Amino acid sequence: MTRKGRRLVLIGAGLGVLALAAGLILSALNDTIVFFRSPTEVAQRLVEPGARLRLGGLVETGSVTRAGTLTTFTVTDGNAVVKVAYSGILPDLFREGQGVVAEGVLQPDGSFKADSVLAKHDERYMPREVADALKQQGVWKDGAPAPGAASPAPRAPGS
């Protein structure tokens, strides 16, 4: 085998090993990725039952019921609602009418079994998709900055 031939074989083997490593990394990452979905996407059956996902929206007023450590509530984006069941201690900021992101598994009946709940104190920290859906429904509070926008700096007294 000539020198050029050995070099081509070595380069080809190196590229093959690199492609195998990239494939293994992407496969491992695919198992840990959790997609964010809105209640509308869940209600339209764009997500299969058993899928692990993050569900975000507003906790619907009057929907929270507690029985020991089990809490059930509905999450809405103004278009659709999804019933959520969570067993555990809820964050201090969790309450009706506030933003929430629940991570868990979609059940075959369309409900959502959460294993973690994150409470958001207002829409500024809500994912853009949910905030856009709330704006379209007219639920977005006036004067609230767009998601991702910087808050205005406080003014000095007398200015």
Side-chain angles (χ1 to χ4, degrees):
M1 183 177 266
T2 66
R3 208 172 180 191
K4 187 176 182 180
R6 282 187 298 218
R7 189 177 304 148
L8 286 175
V9 168
L10 184 62
I11 290 172
L15 288 174
V17 168
L18 186 63
L20 179 65
L24 289 173
I25 289 170
L26 290 175
S27 174
L29 285 177
N30 193 31
D31 292 339
T32 61
I33 292 175
V34 178
F35 292 103
F36 176 83
R37 301 292 183 187
S38 69
T40 300
E41 291 173 323
V42 172
Q44 291 174 349
R45 302 288 182 189
L46 298 178
V47 181
E48 302 221 2
R52 182 155 187 80
L53 59 107
R54 286 188 179 143
L55 176 69
L58 296 176
V59 178
E60 195 170 47
T61 304
S63 69
V64 178
T65 58
R66 294 182 178 161
T69 60
L70 179 66
T71 305
T72 58
F73 56 94
T74 56
V75 175
T76 183
D77 60 359
N79 235 1
V81 296
V82 174
K83 186 171 182 169
V84 178
Y86 175 70
S87 183
I89 300 171
L90 289 166
D92 291 338
L93 293 174
F94 180 85
R95 62 181 171 269
E96 296 175 349
Q98 292 296 97
V100 68
V101 175
E103 185 174 331
V105 179
L106 185 64
Q107 302 298 306
D109 65 356
S111 66
F112 188 76
K113 182 170 176 33
D115 51 29
S116 70
V117 174
L118 303 172
K120 306 299 180 183
H121 66 83
D122 65 14
E123 293 87 358
R124 284 183 287 212
Y125 304 104
M126 193 170 294
R128 182 173 297 278
E129 295 85 4
V130 174
D132 290 343
L134 292 173
K135 282 181 186 178
Q136 290 174 353
Q137 296 300 316
V139 178
W140 187 264
K141 296 176 184 171
D142 288 337
S151 299
R155 291 187 171 192
S159 61

